[in-house]
């Protein structure tokens, strides 16, 4: 006989299943009752064929494998009937049936702001994302983003520097943190009281089609979404538009008409997004009080004293205090160039390295 925990493991793996279907099937309050019914019974309740076939005969070996992984990786599986399931997320269309969470599950129900943007931001754009996130985290907001290189990583790093909490929503299983160069950042997010979150079961690769689904969770968890820099037709605009359809606020930072990464923000502004010039604008729009103390970054920020993972230590050792080109660093570390560029951005935002003329970097401390 299967117990409820086994049934939740099965529900979490049911392909294409979401809360709207559970509601239509009359099972939203007690989803485990569906597991073990015949495929015909499940289909008659409106469940998609693939989900019905799986729930009728879930693979016990795979469920046991999932159970062992959850225990070994300190990951919680939170079903939609749990008090820990984030209430804002439960309100969206096609809300997930269950969430895999590493870290503090309580942070999922905190007041959140999503900050998203380009994977290849300008240096000022990355600094803006970092500074806004630090300010807003100090004011009490949890910063939610997608752990991607660029603006996402800068937002997570800024929240940590502001002595706040941040949530990273993944488009893969939690056993495959993506991108791998941000694995150290993911560990720091958890260590500082934040969380890693996904609806995808372990073993799920970061496939392209997963990220629009991931984006609806980023916006759905949050009171609003702030876009810092984004090209037209980017994933960040998908997140922002999802926020709008979910009844959440959409904010955009304007930029130069000559900057291609400002065009996505300008498009959102034409569609009715709130124009933001300061982080205080966001708090005012969300009616969240703040004080002058929120403007002051704590000197003992945990992020400032964060222990770096091995690859970052290798990079800093290779860098030294004389400016070096990325090509030189690739040769010294054997790390790929895009990987290094993302790591250098994080180190620059944290004040550990500085960018010099000719695109060369040197250690500051």
């Amino acid at each position: 006989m299967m117990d409820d925990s086994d049934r939740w493991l099965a529900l979490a793996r049911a392909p294409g299943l979401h809360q709207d279907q559970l509601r239509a099937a009359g099972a939203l309050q007690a989803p485990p009752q569906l597991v073990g019914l015949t495929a015909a019974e499940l289909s008659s309740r409106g469940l998609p064929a693939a989900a019905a076939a799986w729930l009728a005969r879930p693979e016990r070996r795979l469920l046991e494998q999932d159970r062992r992984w959850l225990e070994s990786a300190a990951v919680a599986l939170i079903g939609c009937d749990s008090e820990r399931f984030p209430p804002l997320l439960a309100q969206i269309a096609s809300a997930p049936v269950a969430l895999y969470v590493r870290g503090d599950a309580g942070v999922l129900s905190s007041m959140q702001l999503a900050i998203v943007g380009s994977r290849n931001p300008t240096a000022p754009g990355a600094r803006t994302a970092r500074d806004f996130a630090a300010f807003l985290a100090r004011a009490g907001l949890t910063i939610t983003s997608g752990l991607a290189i660029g603006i996402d990583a800068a937002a997570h790093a800024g929240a940590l520097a502001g002595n706040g909490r941040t949530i990273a929503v993944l488009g893969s299983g939690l056993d495959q943190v993506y991108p791998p160069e941000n694995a150290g950042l993911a560990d720091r997010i958890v260590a500082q009281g934040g969380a890693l979150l996904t609806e995808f079961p372990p073993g799920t690769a970061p496939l392209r089609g997963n990220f629009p689904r991931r984006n609806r969770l980023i916006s759905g968890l949050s009171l609003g979404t702030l876009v810092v820099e984004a090209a037209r037709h980017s994933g960040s605009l998908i997140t922002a538009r999802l926020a709008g359809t979910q009844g959440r606020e959409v904010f955009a930072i304007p930029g130069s008409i000559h900057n291609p990464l400002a065009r996505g923000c300008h498009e959102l502004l034409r569609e009715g997004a709130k124009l933001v010039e300061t982080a205080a604008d966001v708090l005012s729009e969300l009616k969240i009080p703040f004080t002058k103390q929120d403007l002051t970054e704590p000197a003992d920020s945990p992020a400032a004293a964060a222990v770096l993972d091995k690859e970052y230590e290798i990079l800093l050792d290779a860098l030294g205090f004389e400016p070096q080109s990325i090509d030189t660093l690739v040769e010294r570390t054997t790390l790929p160039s895009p990987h290094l560029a993302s790591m250098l951005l994080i180190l620059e935002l944290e004040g550990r390295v500085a960018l010099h003329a000719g695109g060369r970097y040197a250690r500051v401390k």
Side-chain angles (χ1 to χ4, degrees):
M1 291 290 292
M2 297 178 68
D3 60 19
D4 272 5
S5 63
D6 288 328
R7 292 187 178 95
W8 271 112
L9 290 170
L11 285 161
R13 277 195 172 271
L17 191 63
H18 54 73
Q19 287 191 38
D20 293 348
Q21 294 161 339
L22 294 182
R23 185 178 293 106
L28 187 59
Q29 302 307 315
Q33 70 185 19
L34 296 175
V35 182
L37 297 180
T38 68
E41 289 175 309
L42 293 166
S43 295
S44 71
R45 294 192 180 201
L47 269 60
W54 164 258
L55 292 174
R57 299 188 66 181
E59 187 178 341
R60 294 296 189 94
R61 180 191 60 81
L62 189 55
L63 300 186
E64 181 56 35
Q65 180 178 303
D66 285 352
R67 181 192 292 278
R68 290 196 300 269
W69 174 77
L70 289 171
E71 293 172 353
S72 64
V75 170
L77 180 63
I78 299 176
C80 61
D81 66 345
S82 169
E83 292 181 354
R84 296 190 295 169
F85 196 92
L88 271 185
L89 186 61
Q91 296 173 10
I92 71 170
S94 303
V97 169
L99 300 171
Y100 298 87
V101 182
R102 177 183 162 210
D104 182 4
V107 75
L108 305 184
S109 298
S110 63
M111 291 192 304
Q112 298 169 49
L113 180 82
I115 299 181
V116 297
S118 173
R119 285 173 169 76
N120 298 288
T122 63
R127 284 195 296 272
T128 296
R130 189 264 188 200
D131 292 346
F132 269 57
F135 177 103
L136 294 166
R138 288 195 295 272
L141 282 171
T142 298
I143 303 303
T144 299
S145 197
L147 200 67
I149 60 173
I151 294 297
D152 286 18
H156 291 305
L160 297 176
N163 202 15
R165 299 185 298 179
T166 179
I167 296 170
V169 186
L170 277 62
S172 62
L174 291 184
D175 59 334
Q176 300 191 39
V177 172
Y178 181 84
E181 52 263 49
N182 283 343
L185 177 60
D187 289 339
R188 289 164 55 199
I189 288 170
V190 172
Q192 196 165 311
L196 308 181
L197 165 71
T198 188
E199 66 179 311
F200 298 105
T204 304
L207 303 176
R208 181 183 296 272
N210 294 349
F211 290 92
R213 289 181 60 186
R214 183 276 307 262
N215 293 346
R216 90 189 194 288
L217 301 191
I218 293 174
S219 58
L221 285 161
S222 306
L223 298 170
T225 294
L226 170 64
V227 182
V228 179
E229 282 187 335
R232 287 175 175 166
H233 312 299
S234 68
S236 301
L237 265 63
I238 293 175
T239 306
R241 288 176 176 134
L242 285 167
T245 62
Q246 292 164 349
R248 314 297 162 78
E249 297 289 349
V250 180
F251 305 98
I253 297 177
S256 167
I257 60 172
H258 304 293
N259 177 8
L261 294 179
R263 291 174 186 164
C265 292
H266 293 168
E267 189 169 309
L268 290 174
L269 291 168
R270 285 194 294 272
E271 293 172 0
K274 304 291 194 311
L275 188 151
V276 168
E277 294 178 311
T278 69
D281 294 339
V282 174
L283 295 175
S284 297
E285 192 67 36
L286 294 176
K287 296 180 173 55
I288 295 174
F290 62 96
T291 68
K292 290 183 179 180
Q293 289 181 338
D294 295 325
L295 298 167
T296 305
E297 184 167 359
D300 60 347
S301 166
V307 177
L308 296 176
D309 64 20
K310 185 177 180 181
E311 286 190 346
Y312 280 85
E313 295 289 2
I314 291 171
L315 174 55
L316 286 173
D317 288 343
L319 193 56
F321 294 93
E322 293 295 324
Q324 306 291 338
S325 70
I326 288 185
D327 288 342
T328 299
L329 294 172
V330 168
E331 184 177 333
R332 290 181 178 179
T333 65
T334 70
L335 296 170
S337 178
H339 195 138
L340 283 174
S342 176
M343 293 169 69
L344 287 166
L345 173 62
I346 295 294
L347 292 172
E348 183 184 2
L349 290 169
E350 294 182 350
R352 294 176 184 262
V353 305
L355 178 62
H356 293 262
R360 297 182 299 162
Y361 288 86
R363 288 184 66 166
V364 173
K365 57 184 178 181

